[in-house]
């Protein structure tokens, strides 16, 4: 029997096939035309179990002396009598007023302006007599200080420890808001209060305390130890650190130092992983203050123009703040490495796996990078680690109620992102000024060059853009994969795991970071590629926890002793050829 021919498929089968094909096409369109594909790539990323390639953690490093006799470092951290003496030393330093202001005259022009530092020098000499007896002390530009303790091994590059003697001013209007007077150096049993307690007479005193102890013990360094203290860091260091750097470079040469350790962040509890991280500053943002003057015709206030110079500059300020710089994060920025460290060192598993994978892909995946940038940008503090900041800090204009302002000035402070530069910052600024100038028929001169002039210019006014300094590019980034880094992070593990947080159940990771502000290290770039803005003591928050540049500046005194102990162990640990690159 011959069978009848059958259709290839029944109508119902054809229908399902068509629906399936259509669904697949729709799925593929959605998958590849939306972010679903990007999320899928992140989802299937593997989190490495071995951190040897991503943020490796070195072993703790203690000096040989620690294993022979650790009584001194334990005394620093735990002995009540020593604590009281240290409190007295730092309190006495705070009691001496070393406030400085912007735009102060040179030392030679106005010696009286700077005489306050004579009292501070006398205090240091009285407080650390053995340092002054046995270590070479040199003054630079009258009030800069260089201490040189010559080592016996000429082949070892010297170490440079730095801090600054000056402080920012205390505003008279805030005096009644201080818990204790700002120049009393009051200790309340936990915190020491006063201007300079945390920025940064604490660092200066800890360095000298360490040197004094080592001298008392008859220590003979192999590696030369240099300490340098400027006196105008809070107004850019032009008279202090810049001159000190010239002296050091002339004496030792370029790339002559093992490392520079200056003030900076230290150890804190990471808000994401809830674990203790050490954050040596291996980079530093650039800097420029851009000023813009608007000059317009004056006249009587009874017949004003539609917009006075004050009104126009106010409009400019509004537009500037509406146009922030775009964030950018690349491996060039140490903060990128910081987040990589978080992703692979999360012992409490606080970071969601998907976010860890996002971080790990951020170096080569634009979508993942954008998601990481978005997360960082949600926090007011962290967002400026990955973008240029702009702050309208000073505005002046007008002299009398019935006279039109002929000149109005605005100063905008910029801290330039690692991946940007001074030229791009000026270009961004010019763009907004030109936008306002076009609306009001004004001319724009930027850094002595006319960048905009209306076709029918009628003399309505001129914007003049300039800076009182040339601007500072972002600092060269310090390596975090060499022997110098190994010793810095290794001593940190030793001090804080073996001596401070003795019950900690995970290794303390040292991760690169950056300073949003600038330190005196801007003048030391020629001396070494290893510059660390690092004050190794623990505090919950370096910004909010110490009142730096604000009312009730304070320091938990345990932190001061931790810093002192770290210097004591570090100087001895690196006093060997093994620590050299």
């Amino acid at each position: 029997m011959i069978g009848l021919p059958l259709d290839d498929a029944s109508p119902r089968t054809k229908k399902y096939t068509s629906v399936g094909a259509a669904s697949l096409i729709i799925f593929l369109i959605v998958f590849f035309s939306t972010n679903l594909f990007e999320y899928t790539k992140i989802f299937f990323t593997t989190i490495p179990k071995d951190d040897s390639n991503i943020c490796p953690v070195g072993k703790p490093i203690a000096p040989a002396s620690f294993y022979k006799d650790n009584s001194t470092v334990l005394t620093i951290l735990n002995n009540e009598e020593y604590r009281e003496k240290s409190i007295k030393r730092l309190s006495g330093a705070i009691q001496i007023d070393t406030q400085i202001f912007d735009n102060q005259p040179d030392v030679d022009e106005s010696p009286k302006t700077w005489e306050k530092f004579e009292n501070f020098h006398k205090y240091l000499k009285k407080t650390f007599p053995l340092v002054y007896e046995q270590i070479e002390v040199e003054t630079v530009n009258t009030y800069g200080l260089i201490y040189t303790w010559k080592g016996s091994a000429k082949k070892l590059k010297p170490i440079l420890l730095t801090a600054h003697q000056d402080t920012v001013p205390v505003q008279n209007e805030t005096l009644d808001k201080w818990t204790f007077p700002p120049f009393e150096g009051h200790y309340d049993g936990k915190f020491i209060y006063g201007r300079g307690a945390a920025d940064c007479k604490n660092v200066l005193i800890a360095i000298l305390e360490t040197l004094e102890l080592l001298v008392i013990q008859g220590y003979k360094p192999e590696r030369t130890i240099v300490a340098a203290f400027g006196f105008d860091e809070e107004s850019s260091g032009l008279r202090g650190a810049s001159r000190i750097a010239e002296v050091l470079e002339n004496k030792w040469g370029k790339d002559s130092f093992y490392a520079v350790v200056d003030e900076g962040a230290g150890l804190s509890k990471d808000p994401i992983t809830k674990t203790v991280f050490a954050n040596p500053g291996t980079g530093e943002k650039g800097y420029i203050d851009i000023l813009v003057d608007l000059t317009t015709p004056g006249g009587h206030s009874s017949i004003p123009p539609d917009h006075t110079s004050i009104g126009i500059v106010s409009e400019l300020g509004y537009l500037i703040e509406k146009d922030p710089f775009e964030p950018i994060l690349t491996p060039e920025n140490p903060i990128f490495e910081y987040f990589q460290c978080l992703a692979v060192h999360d012992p409490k598993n606080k970071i969601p796996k998907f976010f860890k994978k996002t971080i790990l892909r951020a170096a080569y995946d634009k979508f993942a990078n954008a998601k990481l940038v978005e997360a960082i940008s949600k926090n007011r503090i962290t967002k400026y680690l990955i973008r240029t900041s702009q702050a309208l800090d000073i505005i002046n204009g007008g002299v009398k109620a019935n006279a039109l302002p002929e000149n109005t000035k605005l100063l905008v402070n910029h801290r330039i992102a690692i991946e940007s530069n001074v030229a791009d910052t000026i270009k961004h600024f010019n763009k907004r000024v030109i936008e306002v100038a076009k609306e009001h028929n004004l001319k724009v001169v930027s850094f002595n060059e006319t960048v905009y002039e209306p076709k029918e210019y009628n003399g309505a006014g001129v914007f003049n853009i300039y800076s009182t300094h040339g601007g500072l590019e972002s600092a060269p980034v310090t390596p975090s994969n060499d022997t110098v880094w190994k010793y810095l992070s290794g001593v940190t593990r030793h001090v804080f795991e073996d001596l401070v947080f003795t019950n900690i159940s995970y290794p303390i990771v040292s991760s690169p970071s950056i300073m949003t502000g600038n330190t005196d290290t801007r003048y030391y770039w020629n001396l070494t590629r290893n510059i660390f803005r690092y004050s190794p003591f623990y505090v919950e928050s370096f910004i909010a926890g110490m009142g730096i540049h604000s009312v009730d500046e304070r320091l938990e005194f345990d932190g001061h002793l931790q810093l002192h102990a770290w210097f004591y162990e570090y100087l001895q640990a690196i006093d060997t050829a093994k620590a050299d690159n």
Side-chain angles (χ1 to χ4, degrees):
M1 180 177 177
I2 301 173
L4 296 173
L6 298 175
D7 290 338
D8 291 341
S10 67
R12 180 175 295 181
T13 302
K14 287 183 177 180
K15 178 181 178 181
Y16 287 151
T17 302
S18 299
V19 171
S23 298
L24 178 60
I25 291 170
I26 292 171
F27 172 77
L28 291 173
I29 292 172
V30 171
F31 186 73
F32 288 106
S33 64
T34 68
N35 289 329
L36 184 59
F37 178 56
E38 304 296 340
Y39 282 114
T40 303
K41 288 193 294 184
I42 294 174
F43 179 80
F44 284 105
T45 298
T46 301
I47 299 174
K49 294 181 180 179
D50 182 3
D51 68 350
S52 59
N53 294 320
I54 300 176
C55 194
V57 178
K59 295 179 180 179
I61 296 175
S65 60
F66 178 80
Y67 299 105
K68 296 176 182 177
D69 181 3
N70 61 13
S71 60
T72 301
V73 70
L74 292 176
T75 294
I76 293 171
L77 290 168
N78 303 316
N79 183 277
E80 280 301 317
E81 183 181 352
Y82 190 84
R83 182 187 186 92
E84 290 299 320
K85 290 178 180 178
S86 185
I87 291 167
K88 185 177 179 180
R89 288 188 285 261
L90 181 53
S91 176
I94 294 168
Q95 290 169 29
I96 299 172
D97 176 4
T98 56
Q99 300 174 91
I100 69 161
F101 301 83
D102 288 338
N103 304 315
Q104 292 195 169
D106 289 334
V107 176
D108 292 342
E109 291 177 7
S110 180
K112 279 200 169 184
T113 302
W114 303 94
E115 280 180 353
K116 62 185 74 174
F117 288 96
E118 285 186 16
N119 293 329
F120 192 65
H121 287 196
K122 289 176 182 177
Y123 174 77
L124 296 180
K125 187 172 183 179
K126 177 183 176 182
T127 307
F128 304 103
L130 294 180
V131 167
Y132 277 77
E133 285 176 14
Q134 299 191 34
I135 294 176
E136 177 187 326
V137 183
E138 179 182 3
T139 58
V140 178
N141 197 18
T142 309
Y143 298 114
L145 289 168
I146 300 176
Y147 301 78
T148 304
W149 193 356
K150 291 182 179 179
S152 59
K154 293 183 179 180
K155 290 184 178 180
L156 296 183
K157 289 184 176 182
I159 178 70
L160 176 58
L161 308 178
T162 64
H164 58 87
Q165 306 167 58
D166 56 298
T167 72
V168 294
V170 174
Q171 294 183 22
N172 290 331
E173 296 81 4
T174 68
L175 285 171
D176 61 339
K177 295 181 173 63
W178 283 73
T179 304
F180 304 102
F183 296 103
E184 186 178 286
H186 182 85
Y187 176 64
D188 69 356
K190 183 177 182 180
F191 292 93
I192 189 165
Y193 288 78
R195 184 59 85 225
D199 184 19
C200 70
K201 288 181 177 178
N202 59 319
V203 178
L204 187 152
I205 294 299
I207 292 170
L208 291 178
E209 284 178 316
T210 300
L211 297 181
E212 186 86 359
L213 261 183
L214 290 170
V215 171
I216 289 171
Q217 294 174 336
Y219 186 71
K220 304 295 182 184
E222 292 185 38
R223 185 187 303 278
T224 295
I225 300 169
V226 180
F229 306 141
F231 59 94
D232 64 337
E233 190 270 352
E234 299 294 0
S235 64
S236 297
L238 292 171
R239 298 169 182 85
S242 70
R243 302 283 286 274
I244 289 172
E246 290 176 8
V247 171
L248 293 176
E249 188 172 337
N250 287 336
K251 181 176 181 179
W252 297 95
K254 291 186 177 181
D255 192 29
S256 55
F257 279 79
Y258 172 78
V260 173
V261 182
D262 193 20
E263 62 169 329
L267 292 88
S268 59
K269 185 174 289 186
D270 179 78
I272 302 175
T273 64
K274 308 300 181 185
T275 56
V276 177
F277 263 73
N279 301 300
T282 57
E284 191 172 274
K285 297 176 78 174
Y287 177 103
I288 187 170
D289 290 324
I290 301 181
L291 297 96
V292 57
D293 283 358
L294 175 58
T295 302
T296 56
H300 201 284
S301 296
S302 62
I303 47 171
D306 292 339
H307 302 282
T308 69
S309 64
I310 291 176
I312 295 170
V313 170
S314 298
E315 179 184 344
L316 172 62
Y318 174 73
L319 286 177
I320 288 171
E321 292 190 333
K322 277 188 66 179
D323 182 33
F325 286 79
E326 290 294 322
I328 180 171
L329 180 62
T330 71
E332 190 178 337
N333 188 334
I335 292 303
F336 177 85
E337 190 172 345
Y338 173 79
F339 277 92
Q340 295 268 305
C341 286
L342 291 184
V344 295
H345 298 291
D346 179 24
K348 298 182 180 181
N349 292 315
K350 294 290 185 179
I351 305 177
K353 283 188 177 180
F354 190 82
F355 188 49
K356 285 183 182 179
K357 294 177 179 181
T358 301
I359 294 170
L360 293 171
R361 290 187 65 90
Y364 56 88
D365 183 325
K366 288 184 179 180
F367 180 77
N369 186 282
K371 286 298 174 184
L372 178 56
V373 165
E374 181 182 330
I376 296 172
S377 297
K378 288 180 179 178
N379 183 288
R380 184 178 71 87
I381 295 173
T382 60
K383 75 177 185 179
Y384 288 115
L385 299 174
I386 60 170
R387 73 172 74 203
T388 298
S389 64
Q390 51 184 14
L392 281 62
D393 285 338
I394 300 174
I395 187 166
N396 293 311
V399 293
K400 201 172 187 304
N402 63 349
L404 295 175
E406 295 174 318
N407 181 268
T408 300
K409 179 185 296 183
L410 173 67
L411 182 148
V412 184
N413 174 271
H414 299 81
R415 306 301 173 115
I416 303 169
I418 297 288
E419 294 89 349
S420 187
N421 54 57
V422 171
D424 284 347
T425 305
I426 294 172
K427 183 178 179 181
H428 184 275
F429 191 88
N430 286 352
K431 182 180 177 182
R432 285 293 159 252
V433 178
I434 291 171
E435 180 180 343
V436 174
K438 287 179 178 178
E439 184 178 345
H440 297 282
N441 202 45
L442 301 168
K443 182 179 177 181
V444 180
V445 177
S446 178
F447 292 84
N448 300 316
E449 179 185 351
T450 299
V451 294
Y452 175 74
E453 186 169 355
K455 290 181 179 179
E456 298 181 4
Y457 180 57
N458 58 10
V462 178
F463 276 118
N464 185 31
I465 303 167
Y466 61 101
S467 178
T468 55
H469 57 90
L472 177 72
E473 301 292 357
S474 59
V477 176
T478 297
S480 57
N481 59 355
D482 63 3
T483 305
V484 177
W485 173 266
K486 173 185 171 183
Y487 270 76
L488 188 92
S489 58
V491 172
T492 298
R493 282 198 65 187
H494 156 59
V495 171
F496 288 90
E497 292 178 30
D498 298 342
L499 304 173
V500 178
F501 302 119
T502 54
N503 294 323
I504 205 164
S505 59
Y506 54 85
I508 292 178
V509 177
S510 291
S511 172
S513 66
I514 64 168
M515 293 283 288
T516 53
N518 300 105
T519 72
D520 274 342
T521 57
R522 74 186 75 180
Y523 299 107
Y524 301 139
W525 294 357
N526 283 347
L527 297 179
T528 178
R529 67 174 190 163
N530 300 302
I531 297 177
F532 304 101
R533 299 113 182 129
Y534 188 41
S535 299
F537 62 90
Y538 178 80
V539 63
E540 286 288 332
S541 169
F542 270 80
I543 301 298
M546 297 188 290
I548 291 175
H549 287 210
S550 186
V551 169
D552 269 355
E553 182 178 343
R554 62 200 174 277
L555 176 71
E556 189 171 350
F557 205 77
D558 283 352
H560 177 74
L561 297 175
Q562 292 163 14
L563 177 64
H564 179 7
W566 187 90
F567 279 127
Y568 180 79
E569 296 293 272
Y570 179 70
L571 288 178
Q572 295 178 84
I574 64 170
D575 199 21
T576 170
K578 293 180 181 179
D580 265 356
N581 279 328

